[in-house]
Amino acid sequence: MIVNGEQDSTPGTKRPAWWAERIPLSGVLEFLKDKTVPWHNASIFYLFGGAALLLFCVQVMTGIMLMFYYIPTPDTAHETVLFISSKVPFGWLIRSIHSWSANLMVLVVFIHMFSVYFMRGYTRPRELIWVTGALLLVLSMTFGFSGYLLPWTKLSYFATKIGTDLSKLVPFIGDELKRFLLGADAIGAPTLTRFYALHVAILPPIFSVVLLVHLALIQLLGMSEHGGKGKSGSLPFFPNFFLREAMVWVVFLGLLAVLSVYWPWEVGEKADPLASAPAGIRPEWFFTFLSQSLKYIPAKVLGIDGEVFGVYLIGLGGMVFLLVPFWDRWAPSGKNHWLVTVVGVVALVYLITLTGLAYLKPY
């Protein structure tokens, strides 16, 4: 084929010149060719970021499929979920993949955040990478919270009630926040509609924008070299690091397939607002540390309501974790950052212990 009197080819590639002229990817290809990734004994944790990205893409694709059938009203929500699981071809599988990938995404983001924390990948000039990553963690948990109610089951109904009751304890805006989430005085049709809108229309674009900023900053600033011992230099991003990431993606896709086929996500019993709450009800697993913590706090602490004091304390801990790039600056690079390590270990042990206690002692 001749274009403008010249042969339709691009030197060094097999792509037609027509496409090369309209979609100039040579700069991107050169960037990927020259890009390197620091590789040491802890670099395996870099791959969890890509795994979280994969799971988010799975969430988007399966969520779009479910939207074709789901109707967000108290009278139809549970029935449409039953229809998807029993009548729609492979509907049960799509729903299981969506539910399992949601939980895996939160878990992977937690692992990724703590690995970056302990490797001190947040140090100058990567402070904004850490902040955007922390926002992605919060948004991932919000995704889970908003999506949990949508099947309108007894467990999701009362678990959401616990979560919205906790939102009232947020300083200064607690009452307004609870009212905004519920859309009424109690969980009902307005709540389901708001959670659905939050889950499919509000959170996805916000998450996508923060994710794009996060990825752009990583590409511009590169990955941190902190945290590794026995360093072996740099690894080419393409194809070496890319192939390692692809192998992790295959593992997670296989895990999703096994979980979804052999442990399909149950539909559950339809919610009845007039029924009593089931024994041992709890919020989703990534919020159980919060509800479990409040059980051990006295009714009054320093003249403050115990639950309010607990939320203040946990919120303060979250701010310490979010702002670690800024309070860690006192120690020069390469020195003993024992305080950072201690804070991270305490936070990790606290989260694992309280989550475990919530399931070992549910009552």
Side-chain angles (χ1 to χ4, degrees):
M1 178 178 177
I2 305 298
V3 178
N4 295 329
E6 297 181 1
Q7 183 65 32
D8 188 12
S9 61
T10 302
T13 71
K14 296 182 180 180
R15 293 179 293 107
W18 191 91
W19 291 105
E21 182 180 0
R22 287 153 182 81
I23 309 177
L25 298 176
S26 57
V28 176
L29 296 177
E30 287 296 324
F31 173 77
L32 294 177
K33 180 180 178 181
D34 297 334
K35 179 178 173 59
T36 60
V37 176
W39 198 256
H40 46 68
N41 64 340
S43 294
I44 187 68
F45 290 103
Y46 291 150
L47 303 174
F48 279 90
L53 175 61
L54 169 70
L55 293 170
F56 174 68
C57 293
V58 171
Q59 284 280 283
V60 172
M61 291 185 291
T62 55
I64 291 173
M65 295 178 190
L66 295 174
M67 286 173 61
F68 283 109
Y69 299 95
Y70 180 77
I71 303 174
T73 69
D75 294 330
T76 58
H78 190 261
E79 283 69 18
T80 53
V81 172
L82 278 174
F83 179 78
I84 291 170
S85 300
S86 59
K87 301 296 183 181
V88 177
F90 299 103
W92 64 272
L93 181 61
I94 298 301
R95 180 172 176 268
S96 292
I97 291 174
H98 188 75
S99 300
W100 278 114
S101 61
N103 285 273
L104 283 176
M105 186 175 80
V106 176
L107 178 61
V108 168
V109 174
F110 264 111
I111 295 173
H112 183 55
M113 286 293 295
F114 273 99
S115 64
V116 173
Y117 178 92
F118 286 116
M119 288 193 293
R120 297 186 65 247
Y122 52 76
T123 52
R124 182 178 179 182
R126 298 178 176 85
E127 299 94 335
L128 293 180
I129 295 179
W130 171 263
V131 172
T132 53
L135 290 177
L136 290 174
L137 174 59
V138 173
L139 290 171
S140 298
M141 297 172 69
T142 309
F143 260 121
F145 177 68
S146 60
Y148 195 51
L149 178 66
L150 300 186
W152 199 250
T153 63
K154 180 184 292 187
L155 289 176
S156 66
Y157 178 90
F158 286 102
T160 302
K161 187 176 185 303
I162 294 174
T164 52
D165 287 343
L166 290 176
S167 68
K168 189 173 69 172
L169 304 176
V170 175
F172 308 114
I173 62 170
D175 291 330
E176 291 77 11
L177 178 60
K178 181 181 178 180
R179 178 77 183 186
F180 172 77
L181 291 174
L182 295 180
D185 295 326
I187 298 178
T191 312
L192 188 58
T193 303
R194 291 190 177 205
F195 273 53
Y196 182 66
L198 183 67
H199 193 71
V200 305
I202 299 174
L203 285 175
I206 295 175
F207 189 96
S208 299
V209 170
V210 178
L211 177 62
L212 288 175
V213 173
H214 185 71
L215 294 175
L217 290 172
I218 292 175
Q219 297 306 315
L220 291 172
L221 300 173
M223 297 179 181
S224 171
E225 298 183 9
H226 287 291
K229 295 180 180 179
K231 296 180 181 178
S232 56
S234 298
L235 185 74
F237 178 84
F238 189 86
N240 303 60
F241 183 82
F242 177 80
L243 290 177
R244 285 168 169 79
E245 188 70 73
M247 292 174 63
V248 172
W249 286 15
V250 170
V251 170
F252 272 94
L253 289 175
L255 178 61
L256 269 179
V258 170
L259 291 173
S260 301
V261 171
Y262 290 99
W263 291 276
W265 208 263
E266 296 182 355
V267 176
E269 183 180 348
K270 184 175 180 177
D272 182 4
L274 300 179
S276 58
I281 193 69
R282 65 177 76 87
E284 283 207 278
W285 65 268
F286 42 84
F287 286 114
T288 52
F289 77 92
L290 176 57
S291 60
Q292 191 69 18
S293 300
L294 300 181
K295 295 180 180 180
Y296 301 111
I297 299 177
K300 290 290 183 179
V301 179
L302 301 176
I304 304 174
D305 183 79
E307 289 188 337
V308 175
F309 179 82
V311 171
Y312 279 33
L313 197 61
I314 294 172
L316 178 61
M319 290 302 298
V320 169
F321 195 71
L322 173 66
L323 299 177
V324 63
F326 306 100
W327 61 261
D328 182 33
R329 286 181 173 179
W330 62 270
S333 178
K335 299 296 183 180
N336 183 20
H337 297 266
W338 61 268
L339 180 60
V340 176
T341 302
V342 168
V343 170
V345 170
V346 169
L348 191 58
V349 171
Y350 163 73
L351 291 174
I352 294 175
T353 302
L354 271 294
T355 301
L357 287 173
Y359 285 87
L360 292 174
K361 299 179 180 181
Y363 300 102

